[in-house]
Amino acid sequence: TRLVRKGRLRSPPSVTTSKVLFETVQKKFRHLDREQFAVLYLDTGLRPIGFKVESVGSASQCLVDTRLLLKDALVAGASAIALFHNHPSSERSPSAEDRNLTARIHKACVSVGIKLIDHIIICDSTFFSFADSCELNPNM
């Protein structure tokens, strides 16, 4: 997409690990004073085709509309998505709300045939990956 072509987003050939996902968007999320929630759209080869900040919240929470998130992914032609948000508090662990949101989005993705490959929580120079923690299943 336009964001990838203009060099605003590092574009690896394919995104296959949480570390590559983190490195792809880390600079956009480090040192923010409010939570932001974003989606990386991927093609069938898990190559980035777009990126969108879906929501900007407060210092401790961010509201995400699952229907709009999926609509944007479908319009972008995404076969897969990766979710990102930051924790300005630098608390790496996901909250109960983070887990509930991830489960809700994952179930919605399954229903429309989009693969949710990960949800990354960014805290300065470190991150938490739902996929690496085996927390990406529809019955979380």
Side-chain angles (χ1 to χ4, degrees):
T1 69
R2 198 172 93 232
L3 291 176
V4 173
R5 276 182 268 148
K6 285 189 175 182
R8 294 184 191 156
L9 185 65
R10 283 186 52 214
S11 181
S14 62
V15 182
T16 56
T17 67
S18 60
K19 185 175 185 217
V20 171
L21 282 168
F22 171 68
E23 290 170 350
T24 301
V25 301
Q26 171 188 18
K27 289 181 183 174
K28 291 184 167 292
F29 284 90
R30 291 180 62 196
H31 310 298
L32 295 174
D33 62 352
R34 295 189 295 169
E35 278 199 17
Q36 291 191 13
F37 188 96
V39 180
L40 180 67
Y41 307 117
L42 305 159
D43 66 13
T44 55
L46 300 181
R47 291 177 299 269
I49 57 172
F51 178 84
K52 181 178 182 190
V53 174
E54 287 285 335
S55 180
V56 176
S58 68
S60 62
Q61 70 177 357
C62 199
L63 300 176
V64 178
D65 186 326
T66 304
R67 293 175 303 155
L68 290 177
L69 184 149
L70 283 178
K71 175 185 163 258
D72 292 341
L74 290 167
V75 167
S79 295
I81 61 171
L83 309 174
F84 299 89
H85 83 277
N86 64 311
H87 279 178
S89 67
S90 295
E91 173 57 46
R92 192 175 159 269
S93 301
S95 66
E97 293 84 11
D98 294 337
R99 286 186 167 91
N100 291 335
L101 176 63
T102 303
R104 192 169 64 245
I105 293 171
H106 190 251
K107 287 178 184 178
C109 284
V110 168
S111 73
V112 296
I114 294 175
K115 183 176 181 178
L116 174 58
I117 64 165
D118 208 342
H119 180 176
I120 304 286
I121 298 172
I122 298 170
C123 301
D124 291 329
S125 61
T126 187
F127 67 96
F128 174 88
S129 163
F130 277 80
D132 291 352
S133 299
C134 301
E135 294 190 48
L136 275 184
N137 66 63
N139 300 314
M140 287 195 314

